[in-house]
Amino acid sequence: MKTNVGGLDRILRILVGLVLIALAATGTVGAWGWIGIVPLATGLLRSCPLYSIVGLNTCPLSSR
């Protein structure tokens, strides 16, 4: 898979994913909070399938 998630985007995805997972684990938001696995995974892997479909890329030009 091609890298298409850049620096700030990656950090935000990881943080949002971790927060959602933590809230789901503590029972604060319910089971839907486990959806945080998706942004966490895309942030860690630096690749987003939805970005590929719509043609977005937040990586700097030197990393493409």
Side-chain angles (χ1 to χ4, degrees):
M1 290 196 317
K2 189 173 182 179
T3 301
N4 60 5
V5 177
L8 181 60
D9 190 10
R10 181 178 186 208
I11 291 168
L12 290 175
R13 286 170 183 263
I14 293 170
L15 289 175
V16 168
L18 289 173
V19 168
L20 284 173
I21 291 168
L23 290 173
T26 60
T28 305
V29 295
W32 69 268
W34 290 106
I35 197 74
I37 292 172
V38 174
L40 178 63
T42 58
L44 292 174
L45 296 175
R46 299 187 71 184
S47 181
C48 178
L50 183 60
Y51 274 14
S52 297
I53 292 170
V54 296
L56 290 174
N57 190 340
T58 60
C59 286
L61 289 174
S62 61
S63 299
R64 288 186 183 177

